Each structure stands twice: as C-alpha cells, then as structure tokens.
C-alpha cells in the first residue's frame, strides 16, 4: 500500500519516502486489526455497496446516452469503448465493467 501511495503522490509532486507512507498507514492498519467482531463493519459494507451501484449506474448512463447520441460522434470515457465494439461484444464490455467495479467494496473499506 505504501508503494502505491508513494507512486501516486510522487506524480503529483509530494515526494515522501516509502517509510513515511508506512508510518502514515500503520495507525490505520493497527486500528483495523483491533476489530474483533466483523458486525461493526456492516455500515461500511453498505456504503461500499452503494458506491458499487452508483458506479454501475454511471457506466450504464454513459453507455446508453452515448448510444442515443451516436449521430453526434461525441465520445468520452467508457462510451467510446461501448460504441466502438458493437452489439456482439457488448456482454463482454459489461462483464469487464462489472469486474472492474467489483473491487470498490475493498477500496472503500
């Protein structure tokens, strides 16, 4: 986790060592390790599922909106992929999109 944070923040200009990121993350990880009953994480899991549905809704909105506006040839984001693959590969597109958003529950927690 510290390597990922270091890469992200190095690109933005905030250069900190990997040991510093470990020190920043350590208190949060220790607090998570003290949780003995997973029932306390239920509210966070609900928020993670809401994030998942929101992300899926955004994907569906962009895909179907861009299909309706196909004559305008204005593509952005995932719509350019969905519009360019056609109808036969559309299930594969949705499979990839859902797989990508499957990890949101882990990211939010």
């Amino acid at each position: 986790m510290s390597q990922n944070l270091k890469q992200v923040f190095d690109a933005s200009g905030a250069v900190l060592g990997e040991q510093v990121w470990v020190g920043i993350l350590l208190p949060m990880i220790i607090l998570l390790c003290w949780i003995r009953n997973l029932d306390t994480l239920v509210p966070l899991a609900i928020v993670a599922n809401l994030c998942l549905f929101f992300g899926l809704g955004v994907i569906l909105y962009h895909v179907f909106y861009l299909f309706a506006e196909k004559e305008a040839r204005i593509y952005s984001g995932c719509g350019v992929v969905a519009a360019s693959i056609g109808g036969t590969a559309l299930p594969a597109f949705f499979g990839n999109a859902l797989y990508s958003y499957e990890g949101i529950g882990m990211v939010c927690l």
Side-chain angles (χ1 to χ4, degrees):
M1 289 178 4
S2 62
Q3 290 175 350
N4 292 340
L5 285 173
K6 181 180 180 337
Q7 290 176 0
V8 168
F9 283 98
D10 283 351
S12 67
V15 179
L16 293 173
E18 195 172 324
Q19 292 82 9
V20 175
W21 287 111
V22 169
I24 292 171
L25 292 172
L26 190 62
M28 292 180 276
I29 293 173
I30 289 173
L31 288 175
L32 283 175
C33 290
W34 282 349
I35 297 175
R36 292 181 185 253
N37 191 357
L38 293 179
D39 290 341
T40 57
L41 295 177
V42 169
L44 294 175
I46 291 172
V47 171
N49 286 333
L50 290 175
C51 290
L52 174 73
F53 288 126
F54 176 74
L56 181 62
V58 169
I59 288 174
L60 292 175
Y61 170 77
H62 281 289
V63 167
F64 290 117
Y65 175 75
L66 291 174
F67 274 146
E69 298 291 326
K70 192 173 182 179
E71 302 85 34
R73 302 281 187 227
I74 299 173
Y75 300 124
S76 65
C78 63
V80 73
V81 176
S84 65
I85 61 176
T88 58
L90 198 58
F93 168 75
F94 281 113
N96 287 333
L98 287 174
Y99 180 75
S100 298
Y101 276 95
E102 184 179 324
I104 285 181
M106 293 298 148
V107 172
C108 285
L109 292 178

